[in-house]
Amino acid sequence: MEGNGITWENPFCGEGASCFRLGVDAVGNAYIAVAGSEDTYVTDSRDALRALISDIKAGKADHLL
């Protein structure tokens, strides 16, 4: 756990330098940040992160690729 209370997973990297990190804290929040810029993140509930990951896995964001 880091000083801000967020526990970050290892980076998820695509081709090139597009690496993202997912994190959680002890009170149920989830975080997404660009690897190396963890001070700037998007935050929501763990349920929202779970829904986002499920939708991505289901192909609902394929049109963005």
Side-chain angles (χ1 to χ4, degrees):
M1 189 173 297
E2 298 180 15
N4 56 10
I6 301 170
T7 301
W8 293 102
E9 295 290 323
N10 290 330
F12 293 91
C13 299
E15 294 181 21
S18 56
C19 296
F20 294 91
R21 295 189 76 187
L22 302 176
V24 295
D25 66 18
V27 294
N29 296 312
Y31 302 85
I32 302 173
V34 174
S37 297
E38 288 82 357
D39 298 0
T40 305
Y41 49 78
V42 175
T43 186
D44 207 326
S45 68
R46 288 186 188 190
D47 288 338
L49 178 61
R50 188 175 298 111
L52 173 67
I53 292 170
S54 293
D55 285 350
I56 289 170
K57 288 174 74 174
K60 293 183 179 180
D62 287 356
H63 64 283
L64 299 173
L65 303 175

